[in-house]
């Protein structure tokens, strides 16, 4: 029996007076790998950032394992949760971005260990063991003591992914993690994500790699102008798109 991991109901988000998410609904089962595709400005990043409470949102609900993220509702009154609760909830998700944001003055292992020591309060020895395990998993066992400046972009991104996964999140959020990489480095990062998918990690990933979305996802979501315009099985979506907007989008994308 699969279990609902994430439920998004009528999510609305404004920047000032501009509404960029206009009622997003989405249900995700544990172990699903969902790719989010859509043109620039359609709200993909904003949606991920709301799930992780990096952005406030004005309407709707996000439930992770049945628990309201960010806000509590009593009757018609909606109140932001305490910063302590939000910090705890934020740790349920791990996020990797286009920019890897590693600390340049720390080695790969130290970057991975940081959250384990500071947030999870593990000893340095325990944290080091976990960091080594995950660096090995992303193919960087021999680079544990290198600084980011001594690593390629693809290697740095793999460290960033190891850092997020090491925190043992319930859900991984990936936002165009290959977009800043030279083409020859994209494959090694996608390979790591494929491995995590095969392990049953629940993942929401925004990607422009249509072939990857087609091969790896259990489901694809196409966002357009702040709403989910079409969603479904990757084969259906890419080979038999239903909406005119998706047909147009696929013409301009890398899938062919
Ligand atoms: N901090 C911000 N302040 C104001 N407007 C913003 C901010 N961040 C994003 N927006 C606007 O919100 C809309 C959605 O942006 P978002 O970054 O979610 O799009 P996206 O689908 O991730 O696009 P891309 O494919 O280019 O990354 C856009 O119109 C964008 O200009
Ligand atoms: Mg984006």
């Amino acid at each position: 029996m699969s279990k609902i991991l994430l439920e998004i109901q009528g999510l609305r988000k404004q920047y000032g007076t501009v509404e960029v998410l206009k009622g997003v609904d989405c249900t995700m089962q544990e172990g699903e790998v969902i790719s989010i595709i859509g043109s620039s400005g359609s709200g993909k990043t904003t949606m991920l950032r709301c799930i992780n409470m990096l952005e406030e949102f004005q309407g709707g609900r996000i439930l992770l394992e049945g628990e309201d993220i960010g806000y509590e509702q009593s009757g018609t009154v909606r109140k932001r949760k305490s910063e302590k609760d939000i910090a705890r909830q934020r740790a349920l998700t791990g996020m990797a971005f286009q920019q890897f944001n590693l600390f340049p003055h720390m080695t790969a292992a130290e970057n991975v260990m940081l959250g384990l020591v500071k947030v999870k309060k593990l000893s340095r020895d325990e944290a080091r063991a976990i960091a080594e395990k995950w660096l090995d998993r992303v193919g960087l066992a021999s680079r544990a003591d290198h600084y980011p400046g001594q690593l390629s972009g693809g290697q740095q991104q793999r460290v960033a992914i190891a850092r997020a996964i090491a925190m043992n999140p319930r859900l991984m959020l990936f936002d165009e993690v290959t977009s800043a990489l030279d083409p020859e480095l994209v494959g090694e990062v996608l390979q790591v994500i494929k491995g995590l998918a095969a392990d049953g990690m629940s993942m929401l990933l925004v990607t422009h790699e249509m072939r990857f979305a087609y091969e790896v996802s259990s489901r694809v979501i196409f966002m357009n102008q702040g709403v989910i315009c079409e969603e479904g099985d990757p084969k259906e979506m890419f080979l038999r798109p239903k909406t005119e907007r998706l047909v147009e989008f696929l013409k301009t994308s890398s899938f062919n």
Side-chain angles (χ1 to χ4, degrees), residues 90 139 155:
R90 197 170 278 145
Q155 290 170 336

Side-chain angles (χ1 to χ4, degrees), residues 13-16 18-21 36-49 55 98 175-176 206 208 223 226:
K13 160 79 188 165
Q14 285 165 231
Y15 286 111
V18 183
E19 193 166 42
V20 299
L21 296 178
I36 305 173
I37 61 173
S39 51
S40 183
S42 57
K44 307 180 296 297
T45 295
T46 304
M47 177 174 153
L48 291 195
R49 289 175 61 85
E55 297 290 348
Q98 184 172 339
D175 192 2
E176 293 192 39
V206 173
H208 287 163
M223 287 195 70

Side-chain angles (χ1 to χ4, degrees), residues 83-121:
E83 291 313 307
K84 191 172 163 223
D85 274 345
I86 287 175
R88 177 182 55 77
Q89 294 189 322
R90 197 170 278 145
L92 299 172
T93 56
M95 192 156 179
F97 310 85
Q98 184 172 339
Q99 301 305 335
F100 340 118
N101 300 325
L102 296 177
F103 290 107
H105 60 288
M106 292 182 175
T107 64
E110 286 166 350
N111 267 282
V112 179
M113 289 165 64
L114 190 65
L116 296 167
V117 172
K118 294 271 185 232
V119 180
K120 298 240 183 216
K121 310 289 181 201

Side-chain angles (χ1 to χ4, degrees), residues 177-203:
V177 289
T178 59
S179 295
L181 301 176
D182 292 336
E184 71 272 21
L185 302 177
V186 168
E188 66 191 49
V189 172
L190 294 183
Q191 207 51 46
V192 163
I193 298 174
K194 258 188 194 170
L196 296 171
D199 286 352
M201 180 56 133
S202 308
M203 305 195 275

